[in-house]
Structures are given as structure tokens and as C-alpha cells.
């Protein structure tokens, strides 16, 4: 029991809420928290897609446990690919560059999650992905706003669920702002390096399995 208490105390030293007034000292761990926040939100959106029925009352997929793990992995994979350029710039830049990178990173990921949710709902309703052709086709049709409202309202998988799930990207944005403004986290470099290598190995080699 004492050993467990010591371990908890050691981990608690890594985190601290609150920053000095006018000071935002961003570390690699800050970007890591934002990244983990995005991964969790991405996973939540995929679970909402696969675990709900379609708007017509049938399961989204019949073989759930065959498709869901792949969807979760590739959701995380996509977020990681979007993250790489910004994380690289933040890693080699000075503190001011890191600050600007953090704001851009949060906005880019929030937009990515929003587009993901819109694409998910188009898949549920129409069985197709969001595309430029789709946008031109359906925005030019008359009466589309009313038709979309009725479809979302009458969704058997949950009335207005498609709209409510847009709160997930908003939640990500708010939590990321809190992380940037209020959370200080410093993880021992050996643990941070090990975690970074492990994530890299997973995303490089797992797609080939």
C-alpha cells in the first residue's frame, strides 16, 4: 500500500494546474496532452458511428468486432498524420513558435474532428463519404435544408444525435484551451522518449499486419 501511495505521489508531481500570470511555457508534454485529447475525441466519434443504428433502424455494420478495431485505429492514425507537421515545427521552434503552433494545432484538430463527424453522418445516412461532388450536388438542390432537418429529426439511431455529436469537437477545443492556459505537465524524459518510440512503432508497423 505504501509503495502504491509513493507511486501516486511521484506521478502527481508531473502535473500542476495554473500558470504564472502572463506566462505560458509550453513543453512537449503540453502537445502530447492535446494529442491524447484529440485521440479520445476521435475514438468517441467512431464509437458513436458504429454502436448506433443507422437512421433506418438497422445496425451500421453486421460484423461489429471485425470493423470497429480497424476504424478506431485508422481514426487515431489520421489524427497522428495531421499532427506530425505541426509537432515537428513545435519541436524545433522557440517558445513563441511553440505558442503559435499550439493554437494552430488545436484549430486544425478541431476542424478535423468536425469534418470527421459530418463525414460519419453522411456515411450513416447515404453510405458515401463527404466529397466535393457531394457538396456541389446537394447544396444546389432545392429544399435541402428542410430535408436535412427532417432526416436528422427522424433519425432512428437518435433524434438530432448527428447535431449533438458536433459538441465533441467543441469539447476538444475547450479542453485544449484549458491545457494550454492552465495545465503544466513535465514527464521524465526517459518515459516520454519511450512513449514516443512506442507510438511511432505502432503507427508504422501495425498497418502492415
Amino acid at each position: 500500500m505504501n509503495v502504491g501511495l509513493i507511486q501516486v505521489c511521484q506521478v502527481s508531481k508531473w502535473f500542476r494546474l495554473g500558470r504564472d500570470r502572463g506566462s505560458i511555457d509550453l513543453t512537449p508534454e503540453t502537445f502530447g496532452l492535446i494529442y491524447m485529447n484529440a485521440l479520445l475525441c476521435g475514438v468517441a466519434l467512431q464509437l458513436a458511428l458504429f454502436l448506433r443504428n443507422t437512421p433506418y433502424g438497422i445496425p451500421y455494420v453486421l460484423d461489429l468486432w471485425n470493423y470497429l478495431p480497424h476504424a478506431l485505429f485508422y481514426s487515431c492514425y489520421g489524427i497522428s498524420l495531421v499532427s506530425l507537421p505541426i509537432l515537428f515545427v513545435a519541436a524545433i521552434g522557440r517558445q513563441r513558435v511553440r505558442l503559435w503552433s499550439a493554437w494552430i494545432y488545436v484549430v486544425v484538430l478541431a476542424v478535423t474532428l468536425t469534418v470527421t463527424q459530418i463525414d460519419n453522418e453522411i456515411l450513416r445516412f447515404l453510405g458515401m463519404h463527404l466529397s466535393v461532388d457531394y457538396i456541389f450536388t446537394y447544396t444546389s438542390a432545392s429544399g435541402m435544408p428542410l430535408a436535412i432537418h427532417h432526416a436528422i429529426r427522424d433519425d432512428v439511431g437518435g433524434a438530432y444525435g448527428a447535431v449533438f455529436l458536433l459538441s465533441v469537437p467543441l469539447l476538444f477545443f475547450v479542453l485544449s484551451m484549458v491545457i494550454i492556459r492552465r495545465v503544466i505537465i513535465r514527464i521524465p524524459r526517459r518515459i516520454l522518449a519511450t512513449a514516443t518510440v512506442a507510438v511511432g512503432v505502432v503507427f508504422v508497423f501495425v498497418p502492415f499486419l
Side-chain angles (χ1 to χ4, degrees):
M1 181 175 180
N2 290 336
V3 174
L5 181 60
I6 292 173
Q7 291 175 339
V8 170
C9 291
Q10 288 176 338
V11 172
S12 66
K13 293 179 181 179
W14 300 351
F15 299 90
R16 182 161 68 87
L17 286 176
R19 296 183 183 272
D20 297 333
R21 186 180 297 273
S23 172
I24 299 181
D25 181 20
L26 299 183
T27 64
E29 293 91 333
T30 304
F31 286 87
L33 275 181
I34 296 172
Y35 172 69
M36 292 300 299
N37 184 20
L39 291 185
L40 291 175
C41 289
V43 166
L45 292 178
Q46 292 304 313
L47 290 175
L49 171 64
F50 278 81
L51 298 182
R52 289 185 298 159
N53 283 338
T54 67
Y56 318 108
I58 61 176
Y60 178 68
V61 293
L62 296 178
D63 191 357
L64 177 65
W65 298 112
N66 183 36
Y67 291 101
L68 180 58
H70 294 84
L72 295 178
F73 174 80
Y74 282 105
S75 172
C76 296
Y77 197 79
I79 290 172
S80 300
L81 290 178
V82 170
S83 300
L84 279 176
I86 300 176
L87 294 181
F88 176 75
V89 171
I92 64 175
R94 296 179 181 273
Q95 188 58 227
R96 185 175 181 82
V97 174
R98 286 185 184 178
L99 181 57
W100 279 103
S101 298
W103 300 128
I104 294 172
Y105 188 37
V106 170
V107 171
V108 168
L109 287 180
V111 171
T112 300
L113 291 170
T114 301
V115 173
T116 297
Q117 169 55 17
I118 295 172
D119 184 61
N120 286 352
E121 294 305 325
I122 291 174
L123 271 173
R124 286 184 66 243
F125 279 89
L126 300 175
M128 61 185 292
H129 284 284
L130 178 65
S131 65
V132 175
D133 290 338
Y134 171 88
I135 294 173
F136 280 122
T137 299
Y138 286 93
T139 54
S140 61
S142 61
M144 279 308 298
L146 184 60
I148 291 173
H149 173 263
H150 288 169
I152 294 174
R153 182 195 62 191
D154 300 332
D155 184 354
V156 177
Y160 298 104
V163 177
F164 293 146
L165 283 169
L166 287 173
S167 64
V168 173
L170 179 61
L171 177 63
F172 161 80
F173 184 85
V174 172
L175 289 178
S176 296
M177 291 297 101
V178 172
I179 290 171
I180 292 173
R181 303 289 301 183
R182 301 293 299 169
V183 177
I184 298 175
I185 173 173
R186 298 188 184 278
I187 299 175
R189 287 294 176 260
R190 184 174 7 177
I191 296 177
L192 186 63
T194 302
T196 302
V197 171
V199 170
V201 169
V202 167
F203 284 107
V204 169
F205 291 104
V206 168
F208 295 100
L209 297 181

